[in-house]
Amino acid sequence: MTTPNPLTNTISGNRGLQIEEPLIFEMDAPGRSGVDLPAVPQHKERLGGLKRKSEVGLPGLGESQVVRHYTKLSQKNYAIDMSVYPLGSCTMKHNPRLNEKIARLNGIADLHPMQPVSTVQGALEVIDTLAHWLKTLTGMPAVAMSPAAGAHGELCGMLTIRAAHLAKGNARKRILVPESAHGTNPATAASIGYEVDPVPADDRGRVDLAAFKAKLGPDVAGTMITNPNTCGLFENDIIDIADAVHGAGGYFYCDGANFNAIVGRVRPGDLGVDAMHINLHKTFSTPHGGGGPGAGPVVLSEALAPYAPLPYVTHGKNGFDLVEQDDSGKAFGRLKGFHGQMGMFTRALSYILSHGADGLRQVSGDAVLNANYLQASLRGDLSAAFPGTCMHEALFNDDFLEGTNVTTLDFAKAMIDEGYHPMTMYFPLVVHGALLMEPTETESKTDLDRYIEVVQGLARRAKGGDATYFQGAPYHTPRRRLDETLAARQPILRWKPEQAKKAAE
Ligand SMILES: Cc1ncc(COP(=O)(O)O)c(C=O)c1O
């Protein structure tokens, strides 16, 4: 680039260390290579007719260019290893390095899912021990380990529920889902053919029990309820809800994504839950799977256990065994080719064993304490969505921005210039202009205080009439306000060479 970038007024397009970085394909210099591979003599070629007839299309780059490219990209990332990551509902928590060390042990990292069972007894024991802990902590008799993420766990639980109803001769039609539900809940129910019937929230941010009961009927297959819910609140009527849905012949699917707020204190099995997924990344500190490859095991009640998917681990005569066939004919099928994410299982078990039962209880206590510290500290400057204390996340509405001409989005963008990842915005939908913050248990008071100071400062600046500043934020990023709607509707997921782009026009 030789003409100054109009935005930065620099030749390079960079601003200080905010380095512009092209796509790796745009850096292509044909003929350049990081490795010299020997030519294969013709008589040694074994591909015959399968031999590639055209170029692979990989960009030509030297090794140092590749290293720099990926190092620069890695520096563009905001990560929990850099600072507070207050994204509510996502639980961006510290992943202890001990977990990583254990998961990288050769005997674990080098496993292959097709190894004979006799050679992977230790791995099966890891799965079985983790399953034991999950069942014990939730008070549930069975667990399906193979789902690859929370949403995949929802699919597993709902397919189990449908299989149980089908065994009685009728899959039923409707699933009751609160309006405050995570988007994956209605999407899961709809994806397997259920009609989603929304249940309103009451003015306490909980499921409206009367409205819930009024919707029950013989065509209701069950309900999907998150507890603690997406407003960061415990559903106080949860036992009444469970009893009511059971009374109508339905099942209770609990979205257990927020189990990190109650682990070691509440056993969902005691509340009447029939199926519940656990996001291992949220409660047991495995890396985020981004919809997979992660792990979202699903604990199941006695009533649903026979319909659980294959495969599962059992104790056989000669040690552990992986059950691949279902003789009863009840299992609904498979969710994955194999048994699930071994890397995640190992990390989660490492986390559980290094904390023990008391340590896990303290984890949930600290998560709730930190969220309440945040809520109480910010209450004077922001507007809390509901009165009283919260569980693991603090929810604010946009009342505090009224009359300022600053929106929740503007406020969140200004956080970026302060060096923080914004909080979750506009979710849950039941709260106007929502700002949802989840500090997690691993943040120190010092780091929380710094974060609080920044949010307070911004709130005061917004109220002081500095709307133009907020509307232009962020200022210190390589890109500023992107067209999010266009990005969601017409994402460009693949680079194409100029000729291909032209040909497609
Ligand atoms: C309440 C709730 N349900 C479901 C999910 C989906 O989980 P996953 O992202 O692992 O698919 C999440 C994700 O954070 C969540 O917060």
Side-chain angles (χ1 to χ4, degrees):
M1 194 188 295
T2 47
T3 45
N5 177 319
L7 191 67
T8 60
N9 207 21
T10 58
I11 299 290
S12 62
N14 303 336
R15 284 192 213 187
L17 290 179
Q18 288 164 31
I19 310 288
E20 280 290 326
E21 185 62 7
L23 297 180
I24 199 161
F25 289 98
E26 293 166 351
M27 295 158 68
D28 176 27
R32 200 182 286 163
S33 169
V35 282
D36 289 327
L37 297 174
V40 182
Q42 236 173 18
H43 68 277
K44 291 220 169 138
E45 271 182 7
R46 287 176 298 168
L47 293 173
L50 295 175
K51 191 179 163 192
R52 190 179 285 279
K53 296 186 180 59
S54 57
E55 292 293 315
V56 189
L58 292 176
L61 295 158
E63 183 177 299
S64 62
Q65 287 176 297
V66 174
V67 170
R68 284 182 181 167
H69 177 71
Y70 286 108
T71 305
K72 282 185 221 165
L73 290 190
S74 75
Q75 288 168 344
K76 287 183 190 297
N77 244 345
Y78 189 90
I80 186 67
D81 291 344
M82 288 168 67
S83 187
V84 174
Y85 203 141
L87 210 51
S89 189
C90 290
T91 322
M92 307 303 279
K93 67 199 246 170
H94 173 66
N95 297 160
R97 296 305 185 261
L98 177 64
N99 303 353
E100 298 304 318
K101 190 164 183 184
I102 302 290
R104 282 172 173 73
L105 292 176
N106 290 350
I108 292 171
D110 296 344
L111 288 171
H112 192 281
M114 291 181 92
Q115 274 179 243
V117 159
S118 62
T119 67
V120 289
Q121 285 295 303
L124 296 185
E125 187 172 357
V126 166
I127 301 180
D128 189 65
T129 311
L130 176 60
H132 171 75
W133 272 92
L134 297 181
K135 288 185 284 185
T136 307
L137 288 167
T138 55
M140 304 283 280
V143 59
M145 298 295 286
S146 61
H152 205 212
E154 291 172 28
L155 181 65
C156 172
M158 294 309 290
L159 285 172
T160 313
I161 287 176
R162 198 178 63 167
H165 278 304
L166 278 173
K168 293 183 216 155
N170 179 2
R172 298 193 171 197
K173 245 177 54 193
R174 269 187 305 140
I175 297 286
L176 306 187
V177 183
E179 279 171 352
S180 61
H182 195 260
T184 49
N185 292 186
T188 300
S191 72
I192 60 168
Y194 278 116
E195 188 187 302
V196 175
D197 194 350
V199 184
D202 63 16
D203 53 12
R204 302 168 310 141
R206 274 91 172 177
V207 172
D208 182 328
L209 183 61
F212 180 86
K213 286 186 174 169
K215 283 178 181 277
L216 287 170
D219 63 334
V220 169
T223 185
M224 293 182 86
I225 293 182
T226 308
N227 191 37
N229 70 19
T230 53
C231 295
L233 302 169
F234 194 87
E235 290 285 351
N236 311 87
D237 295 325
I238 201 76
I239 294 179
D240 287 344
I241 289 173
D243 288 348
V245 77
H246 290 152
Y251 293 101
F252 176 12
Y253 184 90
C254 182
D255 180 331
N258 299 330
F259 190 48
N260 59 318
I262 55 174
V263 63
R265 291 164 193 273
V266 178
R267 301 190 319 160
D270 298 338
L271 307 176
V273 167
D274 290 300
M276 181 183 99
H277 76 261
I278 303 166
N279 300 53
L280 290 190
H281 59 266
K282 293 182 56 154
T283 303
F284 300 114
S285 88
T286 64
H288 267 237
V298 177
V299 284
L300 297 163
S301 63
E302 209 75 69
L304 292 183
Y307 305 97
L310 296 166
Y312 53 87
V313 177
T314 51
H315 299 249
K317 262 193 269 151
N318 304 315
F320 292 98
D321 209 354
L322 202 55
V323 178
E324 302 271 3
Q325 301 274 1
D326 167 44
D327 294 335
S328 74
K330 288 186 170 171
F332 74 72
R334 278 173 184 268
L335 278 164
K336 287 185 111 224
F338 299 110
H339 48 268
Q341 267 296 338
M342 200 59 216
M344 297 295 163
F345 297 157
T346 311
R347 287 174 176 86
L349 186 59
S350 160
Y351 183 78
I352 289 174
L353 295 180
S354 57
H355 280 74
D358 290 345
L360 292 173
R361 190 179 155 78
Q362 186 176 345
V363 162
S364 57
D366 288 351
V368 172
L369 182 65
N370 273 358
N372 277 286
Y373 181 67
L374 202 68
Q375 181 177 271
S377 309
L378 290 175
R379 217 179 248 287
D381 291 283
L382 273 64
S383 34
F386 299 102
T389 54
C390 60
M391 295 296 291
H392 57 299
E393 52 197 352
L395 178 60
F396 301 91
N397 60 28
D398 60 359
D399 284 359
F400 75 104
L401 293 174
E402 205 181 331
T404 62
N405 274 335
V406 175
T407 62
T408 293
L409 179 73
D410 300 330
F411 194 85
K413 294 290 182 195
M415 294 286 301
I416 300 174
D417 282 334
E418 302 293 337
Y420 285 104
H421 192 288
M423 60 293 282
T424 293
M425 308 174 284
Y426 301 107
F427 178 80
L429 303 176
V430 289
V431 167
H432 198 269
L435 301 99
L436 185 60
M437 305 178 193
E438 181 171 6
T440 81
E441 71 281 358
T442 44
E443 290 307 335
S444 65
K445 182 170 177 300
T446 316
D447 287 341
L448 277 185
D449 283 340
R450 179 84 197 101
Y451 171 81
I452 289 164
E453 214 180 298
V454 166
V455 177
Q456 282 171 334
L458 287 175
R460 289 172 198 170
R461 188 165 184 177
K463 288 180 203 173
D466 208 353
T468 326
Y469 168 76
F470 285 88
Q471 286 155 4
Y475 297 93
H476 305 294
T477 50
R479 296 288 178 276
R480 296 173 69 190
R481 300 256 179 146
L482 302 180
D483 187 335
E484 293 174 16
T485 315
L486 190 68
R489 299 227 167 115
Q490 292 170 35
I492 301 171
L493 302 175
R494 206 190 125 206
W495 176 86
K496 286 194 187 135
E498 279 306 314
Q499 313 90 287
K501 272 197 244 165
K502 287 209 181 91
E505 275 164 16

